[in-house]
């Protein structure tokens, strides 16, 4: 069995999945460094201090993009987005800055 991994599909899906998980505030898990606890799912632990959700957001995006990068052939994406792949990370960065705008004001 020959498994093909499509880097362009991974790039597109990772950027979109990360931005979606970030916008919906749905990390796979949250890490609480003060206590060393992991909380799986959406509800944060009460009285556990500040949580780090970034690792959970990355895990969500990595799982979704890896699955689709294996399932979707590279030829389809290359025909449609060959010259525009650079836009996806740029839009994901701008979207992240937009979602964090209250911290910059």
């Amino acid at each position: 069995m020959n498994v093909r991994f499509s880097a362009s599909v991974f790039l597109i899906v990772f950027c979109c999945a990360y931005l979606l998980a970030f916008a919906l505030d749905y990390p796979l898990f949250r890490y609480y460094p003060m206590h060393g606890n992991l909380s799986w799912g959406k509800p944060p632990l009460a009285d556990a201090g500040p949580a780090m959700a970034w690792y959970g957001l990355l895990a969500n995006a990595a799982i979704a993009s890896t699955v689709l990068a294996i399932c979707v052939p590279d030829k389809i994406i290359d025909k449609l987005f060959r010259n525009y792949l650079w836009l996806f990370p740029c839009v994901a960065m701008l979207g992240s800055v937009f979602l964090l705008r209250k911290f910059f004001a």
Side-chain angles (χ1 to χ4, degrees):
M1 184 165 111
N2 190 6
V3 177
R4 306 287 267 171
F5 184 83
S6 172
S8 359
V9 174
F10 184 86
L11 168 86
I12 292 169
V13 176
F14 188 89
C15 291
C16 296
Y18 179 80
L19 195 56
L20 182 66
F22 188 38
L24 298 176
D25 189 30
Y26 196 72
L28 185 62
F29 57 87
R30 295 176 196 266
Y31 175 65
Y32 294 88
M34 290 178 63
H35 301 284
N37 294 335
L38 281 177
S39 170
W40 296 92
K42 186 169 172 64
L45 295 176
D47 300 329
M52 294 172 56
W54 186 66
Y55 297 116
L57 294 172
L58 287 177
N60 266 349
I63 290 169
S65 56
T66 301
V67 168
L68 285 175
I70 292 172
C71 295
V72 177
D74 201 21
K75 295 175 187 174
I76 296 171
I77 299 300
D78 278 344
K79 286 182 184 178
L80 294 174
F81 298 113
R82 178 180 311 153
N83 295 326
Y84 303 105
L85 289 175
W86 61 272
L87 282 174
F88 289 94
C90 292
V91 169
M93 285 187 289
L94 290 174
S96 297
V97 169
F98 177 76
L99 292 171
L100 291 171
R101 69 188 178 277
K102 62 184 173 186
F103 295 109
F104 297 114

